[in-house]
Amino acid sequence: QKEVEQDPGPLSVPEGAIVSLNCTYSNSAFQYFMWYRQYSRKGPELLMYTYSSGNKEDGRFTAQVDKSSKYISLFIRDSQPSDSATYLCAMSGGYQKVTFGTGTKLQVIP
Amino acid sequence: GAGVSQSPRYKVAKRGQDVALRCDPISGHVSLFWYQQALGQGPEFLTYFQNEAQLDKSGLPSDRFFAERPEGSVSTLKIQRTQQEDSAVYLCASSPSPGQGETQYFGPGTRLLVL
């Protein structure tokens, strides 16, 4: 079993929809939780990071962490075609090694 | 401002050849990371540098893989005697503070194909 599990999708939604992306994990030592966006043939781009449990909002993006359930989420409001990409969750224990999920491919249809 | 750059962007190698992949991190960034990303997978950690010191190389898959950052800026990942299973995208990332894995800035990657 992988330390971080993420549904690879693909997930297809109409423009304007609310998108929910999720990851589960097994390592209780994880303290930092990140979401990256990766366009085709590009490097990952950091969207948000959260320390420990709680919510964090940045524009149309909201990240949630529930450490008791070992479950993290990213919500995208008013989704746009430009949001079409692969979304990677990532986690670390507060030191340098970061563990990534496999990524969820999202397509927003105009 | 200038981001992380990597070269070459694409590399085709014959099995058994040695390859060298270069990473230019953001100027002044202390931490530098290398990852391997197979098709349809997330990045897998290879190694970490804090300035010129290689503090973690636990992710390097075999002794054919070697990384260096001699002056604490540019880094090179070298793969000796390449095998077909080495085909992947190799990503470099940097961050401004020591061990700061949570705020990494990635380069575009080098796509390696071993024939």
Side-chain angles (χ1 to χ4, degrees), chain B residues 48-114:
Chain B
Y48 163 71
F49 288 88
Q50 182 178 312
N51 295 309
E52 69 278 4
Q54 188 175 21
L55 299 186
D56 188 342
K57 54 182 180 179
S58 62
L60 295 176
S62 77
D63 58 7
R64 297 186 294 105
F65 287 70
F66 171 77
E68 60 182 5
R69 193 187 186 196
E71 297 179 357
S73 55
V74 171
S75 178
T76 304
L77 176 67
K78 297 180 180 178
I79 310 173
Q80 297 177 324
R81 305 181 302 282
T82 52
Q83 304 295 313
Q84 286 186 322
E85 61 263 28
D86 299 335
S87 296
V89 176
Y90 290 85
L91 294 163
C92 174
S94 68
S95 69
S97 299
Q100 200 170 29
E102 67 274 13
T103 53
Q104 298 180 70
Y105 297 87
F106 281 83
T110 293
R111 190 171 297 266
L112 174 65
L113 177 62
V114 181

Side-chain angles (χ1 to χ4, degrees), chain A residues 5-87:
Chain A
E5 299 280 356
Q6 185 174 12
D7 186 334
L11 180 62
S12 189
V13 301
E15 183 176 354
I18 296 174
V19 176
S20 172
L21 303 165
N22 312 292
C23 289
T24 59
Y25 63 96
S26 58
N27 189 340
S28 300
F30 288 145
Q31 296 285 343
Y32 289 89
F33 303 91
M34 291 75 77
W35 285 96
Y36 285 83
R37 177 174 63 195
Q38 186 173 27
Y39 292 112
S40 181
R41 297 184 179 270
K42 302 286 187 183
E45 171 194 8
L46 179 65
L47 289 173
M48 306 176 68
Y49 80 89
T50 309
Y51 173 70
S52 194
S53 285
N55 295 357
K56 188 172 184 179
E57 188 173 321
D58 184 0
R60 296 184 296 112
F61 298 91
T62 299
Q64 289 185 351
V65 175
D66 182 349
K67 290 190 69 180
S68 63
S69 302
K70 295 189 175 68
Y71 187 88
I72 71 169
S73 301
L74 178 71
F75 297 96
I76 307 174
R77 292 182 296 281
D78 187 25
S79 56
Q80 303 295 310
S82 58
D83 295 329
S84 298
T86 296
Y87 289 80

